[in-house]
Amino acid sequence: MAIYVYAENINGIYKKAAFEAVSYAKAIADQQGDTVTAITINPTDASDLLYKYGASNVINVKDEGLKSFSAKAYAEAVAQLLDGKIIVFPHTTDASSIAPMLSVMKGFALITNVLEAPESVQPFQVKRRAFSGKGVMHAKADIDGVIVTVSQNAFGVKENATQGSEEIKNLSVANEDTKVLSHEQSSGQLDLKEAEIVVSAGRGMKGPENWGMIEDLAGVLGAATACSKPVSDIGWRPHSEHVGQTGKAIAPNLYIAVGISGAIQHLAGVNSSKTIVVVNSDAEAPFFKSADYGVVGDAFQIIPELTQKIKALKG
Ligand SMILES: Cc1cc2nc3c(=O)[nH]c(=O)nc-3n(C[C@H](O)[C@H](O)[C@H](O)COP(=O)(O)OP(=O)(O)OC[C@H]3O[C@@H](n4cnc5c(N)ncnc54)[C@H](O)[C@@H]3O)c2cc1C
């Protein structure tokens, strides 16, 4: 029985998280001597992109009614097509709202935020992130059907080129319960949750007029920009950049925090980052306790200099 994966796309374009979920499904399939079937809704990208990471069958759903996102309608579409006992989702905002609905519809176990390939497939047991990233736990499903969501940037995208084929499925799922009233697009070029490097800043920047240096540093590093909660609350930066317990949870390879004190609610959203660099003028700032590298000093001096040094190094 194939291992299924939901390959998320935004406006038809596959997200990096979709490739990571396919890579994860392929790892399970390899443990089981099985194949991977991907389900995707209204993509414009070619299925070749999914074969590259190990999907050997792509079910490409065409449904005009699913042009706007609704967790319930998307879960119904996936439920109609799912013909296996294991399905993998990325832990994105949209996919992690489809997964619980599907879990109820199919009576499957749901294990969210998994970090590694399963320790065992039958029964399904896996390490997952817990307590807002402050701990890990080993979760075991005690029923046969399992849905997992893969924590972004935890397992990684792994190329595993496979000969694939595509099936087009015309569905017409009722999508009446949800109406999208507004949709806030992130201002940066890069999707914050998918970014490998994030440059983030807090109230230590003193005002929105000083964000140019943060954007310049992000620019030379190819990074996304983020901010602390008060910064977005007072309107210095858009809410789409707010990270933490009440904002986005991210796990980039490198998180650079500038003028952020490191309150526990901020850390809850960023402490899964692989490497944390903190720049703060106060040597006693709590963030230094969670930092891999710390610089005590004035951000207004350090950040432009750092940007220049990186530019010179690249040049
Ligand atoms: C229920 C709840 C949920 C919350 N959720 C979140 C959340 O999701 N995300 C979040 O971020 N916060 C959240 N908070 C708020 C959190 O508790 C902190 O108040 C907030 O993170 C502080 O933001 P900050 O670090 O930008 O500001 P501050 O705490 O004011 O820190 C500013 C820092 O900048 C440093 N600084 C000042 N000048 C310079 C300079 N020239 N150079 C370098 N450093 C300088 C200072 O030393 C200081 O450490 C939440 C709070 C509650 C109660």
Side-chain angles (χ1 to χ4, degrees), residues 70-188:
S70 144
K72 183 165 171 253
Y74 272 48
E76 271 165 13
V78 175
Q80 283 185 31
L81 301 167
L82 176 61
D83 186 26
K85 289 290 185 189
I86 299 174
I87 180 162
V88 177
F89 283 81
H91 195 82
T92 56
T93 308
D94 286 359
S96 56
S97 59
I98 303 170
M101 299 241 181
L102 184 67
S103 162
V104 173
M105 286 172 191
K106 300 293 277 189
F108 280 17
L110 172 65
I111 305 178
T112 58
N113 254 319
V114 305
L115 294 167
E116 293 173 0
E119 291 143 8
S120 125
V121 178
Q122 280 165 342
F124 200 95
Q125 184 171 317
V126 69
K127 190 167 157 185
R128 67 176 292 271
R129 200 187 302 288
F131 307 118
S132 300
K134 283 196 280 300
V136 293
M137 64 179 276
H138 298 265
K140 186 166 134 197
D142 55 9
I143 48 176
D144 212 14
V146 182
I147 300 169
V148 291
T149 68
V150 181
S151 187
Q152 283 179 261
N153 282 333
F155 183 75
V157 172
K158 299 188 167 84
E159 281 191 28
N160 211 324
T162 308
Q163 188 78 22
S165 62
E166 181 188 74
E167 253 175 272
I168 306 278
K169 285 272 180 199
N170 292 302
L171 297 186
S172 47
V173 176
N175 187 4
E176 289 151 358
D177 294 352
T178 311
K179 291 276 169 284
V180 178
L181 298 179
S182 74
H183 192 252
E184 189 185 349
Q185 192 73 31
S186 163
S187 63

Side-chain angles (χ1 to χ4, degrees), residues 203 206 228-229 242-246 259 261 265-266 280 298-299:
R203 231 162 11 188
K206 324 283 188 218
S228 65
K229 182 176 185 295
H242 159 202
V243 290
Q245 184 187 312
T246 45
S261 56
Q265 297 89 355
H266 185 85
N280 198 303
D298 182 1

Side-chain angles (χ1 to χ4, degrees), residues 201-206 227-231 233 242-248 258-269 279-283 285-287 295 297-302:
R203 231 162 11 188
M205 295 307 297
K206 324 283 188 218
C227 67
S228 65
K229 182 176 185 295
V231 160
D233 284 350
H242 159 202
V243 290
Q245 184 187 312
T246 45
K248 286 182 179 149
V258 185
I260 300 177
S261 56
I264 192 159
Q265 297 89 355
H266 185 85
L267 294 176
V279 179
N280 198 303
S281 51
D282 175 7
F287 219 148
V295 184
D298 182 1
F300 291 82
Q301 228 183 319
I302 292 162

